[in-house]
Amino acid sequence: MIDVSGVEIMDATDWEALRRTMSMARIMGARPVITGLRPGVVSALVELGVDAEDVETAHTLDEGLERFEPEPPLDDLSGAEDDEEGDTRLNLGGDADGRDVESEIDAPSHRE
Protein backbone atom coordinates (compact mmCIF):
# COMPACT_ATOMS: atom_id res chain seq x y z
CA MET A 1 0.00 0.00 0.00
CA ILE A 2 1.30 3.41 -0.96
CA ASP A 3 -0.17 6.31 1.01
CA VAL A 4 0.20 9.65 -0.76
CA SER A 5 -2.05 11.72 1.52
CA GLY A 6 0.89 14.01 2.31
CA VAL A 7 1.56 14.76 -1.38
CA GLU A 8 0.15 18.12 -2.40
CA ILE A 9 1.63 18.34 -5.90
CA MET A 10 2.26 15.55 -8.41
CA ASP A 11 3.20 15.94 -12.06
CA ALA A 12 3.24 13.41 -14.89
CA THR A 13 6.84 12.41 -14.16
CA ASP A 14 6.04 11.71 -10.51
CA TRP A 15 2.95 9.72 -11.54
CA GLU A 16 4.92 7.58 -14.02
CA ALA A 17 7.53 6.83 -11.36
CA LEU A 18 4.74 5.74 -9.02
CA ARG A 19 3.19 3.56 -11.74
CA ARG A 20 6.55 1.91 -12.48
CA THR A 21 6.98 1.19 -8.78
CA MET A 22 3.53 -0.37 -8.66
CA SER A 23 4.26 -2.40 -11.79
CA MET A 24 7.44 -3.78 -10.22
CA ALA A 25 5.52 -4.66 -7.06
CA ARG A 26 2.94 -6.54 -9.17
CA ILE A 27 5.69 -8.50 -10.92
CA MET A 28 6.95 -9.54 -7.50
CA GLY A 29 3.48 -10.78 -6.53
CA ALA A 30 2.23 -7.83 -4.47
CA ARG A 31 -1.10 -6.07 -4.90
CA PRO A 32 -0.30 -2.35 -4.82
CA VAL A 33 -2.99 0.10 -3.76
CA ILE A 34 -2.58 3.89 -3.71
CA THR A 35 -4.38 5.63 -0.87
CA GLY A 36 -4.94 9.26 0.02
CA LEU A 37 -4.92 10.92 -3.40
CA ARG A 38 -6.11 14.49 -2.84
CA PRO A 39 -8.81 15.92 -5.13
CA GLY A 40 -6.44 18.64 -6.39
CA VAL A 41 -3.79 16.07 -7.29
CA VAL A 42 -6.35 13.89 -9.08
CA SER A 43 -7.66 16.91 -10.99
CA ALA A 44 -4.15 17.87 -12.10
CA LEU A 45 -3.36 14.31 -13.19
CA VAL A 46 -6.57 14.16 -15.24
CA GLU A 47 -5.70 17.47 -16.92
CA LEU A 48 -2.22 16.12 -17.70
CA GLY A 49 -3.83 13.06 -19.30
CA VAL A 50 -1.81 10.51 -17.33
CA ASP A 51 -2.51 6.80 -17.75
CA ALA A 52 -4.31 5.49 -14.67
CA GLU A 53 -5.27 2.10 -16.10
CA ASP A 54 -4.59 -0.85 -13.77
CA VAL A 55 -4.15 1.46 -10.77
CA GLU A 56 -6.11 0.42 -7.70
CA THR A 57 -6.91 3.28 -5.33
CA ALA A 58 -8.68 3.85 -2.02
CA HIS A 59 -9.73 7.15 -0.47
CA THR A 60 -8.16 6.57 2.94
CA LEU A 61 -5.54 4.33 4.48
CA ASP A 62 -8.25 2.55 6.50
CA GLU A 63 -10.26 1.92 3.33
CA GLY A 64 -7.14 0.52 1.68
CA LEU A 65 -6.47 -1.78 4.61
CA GLU A 66 -10.03 -3.11 4.44
CA ARG A 67 -9.30 -4.40 0.94
CA PHE A 68 -6.69 -6.74 2.37
CA GLU A 69 -8.89 -8.25 5.08
CA PRO A 70 -9.36 -11.95 4.39
CA GLU A 71 -12.80 -13.12 3.35
CA PRO A 72 -14.48 -15.48 5.80
CA PRO A 73 -13.93 -19.16 4.95
CA LEU A 74 -16.76 -20.96 3.22
CA ASP A 75 -17.18 -23.32 6.16
CA ASP A 76 -18.10 -20.32 8.37
CA LEU A 77 -21.79 -20.17 7.49
CA SER A 78 -23.12 -18.00 10.29
CA GLY A 79 -26.77 -17.45 9.53
CA ALA A 80 -27.05 -20.72 7.60
CA GLU A 81 -29.52 -23.42 8.50
CA ASP A 82 -30.38 -26.85 7.16
CA ASP A 83 -33.80 -27.41 5.60
CA GLU A 84 -35.89 -30.61 5.84
CA GLU A 85 -33.87 -32.32 3.07
CA GLY A 86 -30.56 -31.59 4.82
CA ASP A 87 -29.51 -28.92 2.31
CA THR A 88 -27.83 -25.86 3.75
CA ARG A 89 -29.68 -22.60 3.08
CA LEU A 90 -28.23 -19.18 3.71
CA ASN A 91 -30.46 -16.15 4.25
CA LEU A 92 -29.06 -13.35 2.08
CA GLY A 93 -31.37 -10.63 3.41
CA GLY A 94 -34.23 -9.04 1.55
CA ASP A 95 -34.72 -8.48 -2.15
CA ALA A 96 -35.85 -5.18 -3.72
CA ASP A 97 -39.42 -5.85 -2.56
CA GLY A 98 -38.37 -6.57 1.03
CA ARG A 99 -38.93 -10.33 0.78
CA ASP A 100 -36.38 -12.68 2.30
CA VAL A 101 -34.02 -14.24 -0.21
CA GLU A 102 -32.44 -17.60 0.46
CA SER A 103 -29.81 -19.38 -1.54
CA GLU A 104 -29.17 -23.09 -1.49
CA ILE A 105 -25.47 -23.85 -1.39
CA ASP A 106 -23.43 -27.00 -1.37
CA ALA A 107 -21.72 -26.96 1.98
CA PRO A 108 -20.99 -29.51 4.65
CA SER A 109 -23.67 -29.73 7.30
CA HIS A 110 -22.76 -28.28 10.69
CA ARG A 111 -24.57 -30.94 12.67
CA GLU A 112 -22.83 -32.67 15.54
Side-chain angles (χ1 to χ4, degrees), residues 4-82:
V4 294
S5 59
V7 176
E8 294 182 16
I9 300 171
M10 185 180 297
D11 62 15
T13 304
D14 298 330
W15 178 256
E16 285 307 313
L18 190 55
R19 278 183 44 93
R20 281 193 308 275
T21 301
M22 293 177 68
S23 179
M24 287 184 274
R26 260 189 233 95
I27 290 170
M28 294 172 27
R31 179 181 161 202
V33 176
I34 297 177
T35 63
L37 279 169
R38 295 177 181 217
V41 171
V42 172
S43 178
L45 293 172
V46 168
E47 284 184 30
L48 291 170
V50 299
D51 182 11
E53 193 170 322
D54 298 328
V55 175
E56 186 175 353
T57 63
H59 292 313
T60 65
L61 187 58
D62 287 338
E63 210 175 279
L65 289 171
E66 287 175 9
R67 294 180 186 211
F68 293 99
E69 290 181 3
E71 294 186 22
L74 289 177
D75 62 344
D76 177 20
L77 297 174
S78 50
E81 48 191 59
D82 292 340

